[in-house]
Amino acid sequence: ASQAGAPSRKLLSSGLSAALPEVAARMGVEAGADVLTRRRLMSIDGVPVRLAVSYFLPEASEAAELSGGTFLQGGLQQLFDRHGRRFGRAEETLVARIPATEEAQLLQIDSADPVVELLRTSYDDAGRAVHTLQTICAASRHIFVVRQMPGDAVF
């Protein structure tokens, strides 16, 4: 919304899927193991700008609430709070690349138009992976704002 326009979102799917190698490594499971996957498409004024895919461990205490076909009331943070999960740290990787065929179709971009992929894994205070988020953005439709936290004295 801060980039102007009316935001909307659509839940594309929710259920078990085989963990991609990069997701499996972050979640601490074998590649191809079942993970709970939620795929969403975000749009601005009806124009797709971002595909977001969340991965969770199916045996996690919050999995039952995540496996439904609707958006969560209150969001992930409230869900994790209800299940006693406390944030510990996050690890992010940002990559610019050419989209896969399905990504280009969903984002309604040419297959040669670049996307920016952000892969973020959040860990609880015990060091267990809680959530991996793969965000695929149409590069020409996004502005990335990065801020340094107050009090951080590292250049």
Side-chain angles (χ1 to χ4, degrees):
S2 67
Q3 295 181 22
S8 62
R9 61 187 180 164
K10 178 181 180 182
L11 184 63
L12 300 174
S13 64
S14 178
L16 294 177
S17 69
L20 302 170
E22 61 271 19
V23 171
R26 288 170 173 257
M27 299 296 290
V29 298
E30 294 291 323
D34 281 342
V35 288
L36 182 55
T37 305
R38 293 175 60 87
R39 299 178 76 227
R40 295 148 346 263
L41 183 65
M42 281 61 163
S43 300
I44 301 291
D45 291 334
V47 177
V49 294
R50 180 171 33 141
L51 174 62
V53 186
S54 288
Y55 302 94
F56 307 92
L57 297 173
E59 66 274 8
S61 61
E62 56 273 356
E65 292 178 68
L66 291 165
S67 60
T70 60
F71 285 101
L72 300 173
Q73 292 288 11
L76 279 178
Q77 188 59 53
Q78 286 185 13
L79 174 67
F80 291 142
D81 288 347
R82 284 196 307 275
H83 288 271
R85 299 276 202 157
R86 300 294 171 251
F87 179 78
R89 66 181 179 88
E91 182 179 315
E92 294 182 340
T93 304
L94 184 72
V95 175
R97 61 176 175 78
I98 297 301
T101 301
E102 182 192 24
E103 294 166 350
Q105 290 170 348
L106 286 169
L107 293 169
Q108 298 175 7
I109 58 174
D110 187 88
S111 61
D113 290 345
V115 293
V116 175
E117 177 183 3
L118 176 67
L119 192 63
R120 175 189 171 95
T121 302
S122 296
Y123 300 87
D124 65 15
D125 57 358
R128 295 178 300 243
V130 174
H131 174 223
T132 293
L133 174 63
Q134 178 187 35
T135 304
I136 300 156
C137 305
S140 63
R141 300 177 185 158
H142 243 70
I143 298 170
F144 296 93
V145 177
V146 179
R147 291 186 180 94
Q148 189 166 340
M149 298 301 296
D152 188 349
V154 178
F155 287 100

